[in-house]
Amino acid sequence: MVEVVVTPVRVPTAGDLLVATPRLVDPNFDRTVVFVIEHQEAGTLGVVINRVSDISCAAAVPRWASRFAEEAAVGLGGPVEPQGLLALGATAEPPAGESLSPQGSGTESSEAGGVWRTVNGTVGLVDLTADPAELDTAVVAVRIYGGHAGWGPGQLRGELQSGCWWVFDSMPGDLTADATTLWYDVLARQSPPARLLAHYPDDPAQN
């Protein structure tokens, strides 16, 4: 059995990161970093941000190509509805209101029907069915993910209490960071004991 120190359970909020510990044996989430989009009594929604496909964002959604970072790949967001696409955008500064104004409109886009819906701070959900020209130019990065991660009522809390996940603050740049090292990088910036896991071997038996 993998020995991992269980820290006091922190209830996640939108914009937090869920970082899988070695206690989580589900291959769908092995060494994953999940960006929490929503956490309520009814359940939790998030996307894995450190697994990517070999499909470019521009190829997946050509009409939005101008808003994607060059060579950005579609993320493997999770095992739920893997054929569905979900987009997150990041802004250089937090928007003044709950949502960003469409470019040139002078009015805020609504939370229900606008092209942008704030998740937390500088990150928001982007409606890929909208016209890309409506998205405020303050949005400097857009990433898309195939599928998402979801937990039913009480399910995530049970996994947190079992030490399968740690909850940490996200940082600017996490969405666009190197996916291959993000799990290690997030742990390395924490205090012990979490920081020690940044050096956890891929195969403990070979250590």
Side-chain angles (χ1 to χ4, degrees), residues 4 7 12 16-24 29-36 47 49-50 151 156 159-160 163-170 174 181-190 194-195 197-198:
V4 176
T7 60
D16 281 341
L17 299 179
L18 294 173
V19 178
T21 77
R23 282 195 176 188
L24 187 60
F29 295 106
D30 182 42
R31 300 198 181 204
T32 55
V33 178
V34 176
F35 182 86
V36 178
V47 288
I49 60 173
N50 67 325
W151 291 263
L156 179 58
E159 294 180 9
L160 289 168
C164 293
W165 299 96
W166 278 335
V167 182
F168 300 123
D169 294 335
S170 62
D174 282 342
T181 63
L182 186 60
W183 186 82
Y184 303 94
D185 294 341
V186 172
L187 289 171
R189 70 191 189 214
Q190 310 304 323
R195 181 187 299 168
L197 274 187

Side-chain angles (χ1 to χ4, degrees), residues 24-79:
L24 187 60
V25 296
D26 184 344
N28 288 314
F29 295 106
D30 182 42
R31 300 198 181 204
T32 55
V33 178
V34 176
F35 182 86
V36 178
I37 295 173
E38 190 173 68
H39 178 73
Q40 300 179 348
E41 289 186 6
T44 305
L45 170 70
V47 288
V48 175
I49 60 173
N50 67 325
R51 288 183 176 177
V52 296
S53 70
D54 56 2
I55 302 172
S56 72
C57 292
V61 191
R63 67 195 297 261
W64 277 83
S66 64
R67 304 309 299 266
F68 300 134
E70 187 176 357
E71 299 183 358
V74 176
L76 301 175

Side-chain angles (χ1 to χ4, degrees), residues 108-162:
E108 287 188 346
S109 59
S110 69
E111 284 283 291
V115 66
W116 169 279
R117 181 166 68 88
T118 299
V119 173
N120 185 49
T122 61
V123 177
L125 284 166
V126 176
D127 181 2
L128 293 175
T129 66
D131 184 346
E134 294 181 355
L135 186 63
D136 196 296
T137 55
V139 179
V140 295
V142 177
R143 290 289 186 274
I144 59 176
Y145 304 88
H148 62 272
W151 291 263
Q155 183 181 3
L156 179 58
R157 181 169 182 81
E159 294 180 9
L160 289 168
Q161 291 175 331
S162 298

